[in-house]
């Protein structure tokens, strides 16, 4: 296979559930309560004129904080190396994991007989829209930084599984129920 056949890029958006839903709810509460508290303080200090800045300050707070609850995960495979990136608000990106496919001891669907092996790992990395997605796969590897066993959860496509099979056929488990 040439390097273009082994290149893959895929992006999923995190669903609004669990901790993300709680964070969004708390931020919305901050956006509502901040102007009320700010205006109350201004009224107590009799600085009514500064009330015109409430909308500006609230917009600034929204601009700098809302991106952290709009999360996307991007997977890139280049020459057998899988890179996982978190994208905040479709603007800023932060790479949080890079591992070689051939270093993984198991790449399998997060289903019945394989679930226990994934749950036993000491370090866990999540790059899925939701753990209830039918396409959740995981890869077990040894984390170079912490020297512990680690697992990364990601949403697989047929091409990811095919590339994983090419680089590490003995550890890759194929599943026919993938959507993409």
């Amino acid at each position: 296979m040439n390097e273009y056949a082994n290149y893959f890029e895929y992006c999923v958006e995190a669903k609004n559930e669990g901790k993300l839903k709680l964070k969004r709810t708390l931020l919305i509460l901050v956006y509502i309560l901040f102007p009320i508290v700010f205006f109350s303080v201004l009224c107590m200090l009799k600085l009514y004129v500064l009330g015109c800045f409430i909308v500006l300050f609230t917009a600034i707070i929204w601009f700098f904080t809302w991106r952290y609850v709009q999360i996307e995960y991007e997977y890139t495979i280049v020459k057998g190396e899988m890179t996982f990136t978190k994208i905040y608000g479709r603007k800023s990106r932060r790479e949080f994991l890079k591992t070689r496919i051939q270093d993984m001891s198991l790449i399998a669907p997060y289903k019945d007989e394989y679930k226990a092996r994934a749950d036993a790992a000491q370090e866990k990395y999540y790059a899925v829209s939701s753990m209830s997605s039918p396409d959740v796969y995981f890869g077990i590897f040894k984390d170079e930084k912490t020297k512990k066993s680690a697992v990364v959860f990601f949403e697989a496509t047929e091409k990811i599984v095919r590339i994983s099979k090419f680089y590490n056929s003995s550890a890759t488990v194929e599943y026919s129920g993938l959507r993409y």
Side-chain angles (χ1 to χ4, degrees):
M1 293 181 128
N2 63 30
E3 68 184 56
Y4 295 111
N6 289 333
Y7 176 80
F8 183 74
E9 189 173 316
Y10 189 64
C11 193
V12 294
E13 187 173 341
K15 287 186 180 174
N16 189 21
E17 60 187 27
K19 285 184 181 179
L20 187 61
K21 186 174 187 174
L22 177 66
K23 288 178 184 178
R24 280 187 182 200
T25 305
L26 290 175
L27 273 180
I28 290 171
L29 200 61
V30 166
Y31 302 149
I32 294 170
L33 291 178
F34 173 76
I36 295 170
V37 171
F38 188 69
F39 189 70
S40 300
V41 170
L42 289 178
C43 287
M44 283 191 269
L45 298 174
K46 297 185 185 202
L47 298 170
Y48 307 110
V49 177
L50 295 178
C52 63
F53 292 109
I54 291 174
V55 174
L56 177 67
F57 292 147
T58 305
I60 291 170
I61 291 171
W62 173 83
F63 179 77
F64 286 110
T65 58
W66 188 250
R67 74 176 74 182
Y68 295 107
V69 293
Q70 286 186 307
I71 300 172
E72 294 179 4
Y73 297 102
E74 180 184 66
Y75 328 131
T76 310
I77 299 174
V78 179
K79 297 182 183 175
E81 191 166 68
M82 227 172 166
T83 306
F84 296 90
T85 307
K86 237 183 205 184
I87 302 171
Y88 297 102
R90 295 187 175 128
K91 294 177 184 166
S92 58
R93 52 194 317 116
R94 192 166 295 139
E95 181 181 299
F96 68 94
L97 180 65
K98 186 181 260 190
T99 185
R100 296 172 51 91
I101 294 173
Q102 67 187 28
D103 294 340
M104 292 186 180
S105 61
L106 180 64
I107 303 167
Y110 189 61
K111 301 231 184 284
D112 308 323
E113 69 257 19
Y114 304 110
K115 204 172 196 178
R117 289 191 55 193
D119 293 336
Q122 296 166 321
E123 299 276 329
K124 293 185 173 136
Y125 298 97
Y126 296 92
V128 293
S129 63
S130 171
M131 285 303 287
S132 61
S133 172
D135 298 331
V136 175
Y137 255 66
F138 66 90
I140 297 176
F141 61 98
K142 186 166 183 119
D143 196 344
E144 295 297 320
K145 295 175 190 168
T146 62
K147 303 293 183 205
K148 296 179 181 176
S149 67
V151 64
V152 60
F153 296 96
F154 58 93
E155 288 189 39
T157 64
E158 289 179 17
K159 187 164 183 183
I160 289 177
V161 174
R162 193 171 61 244
I163 292 172
S164 298
K165 192 85 170 153
F166 175 76
Y167 283 107
N168 195 347
S169 62
S170 62
T172 304
V173 176
E174 292 185 76
Y175 175 65
S176 61
L178 295 174
R179 293 180 294 171
Y180 307 108

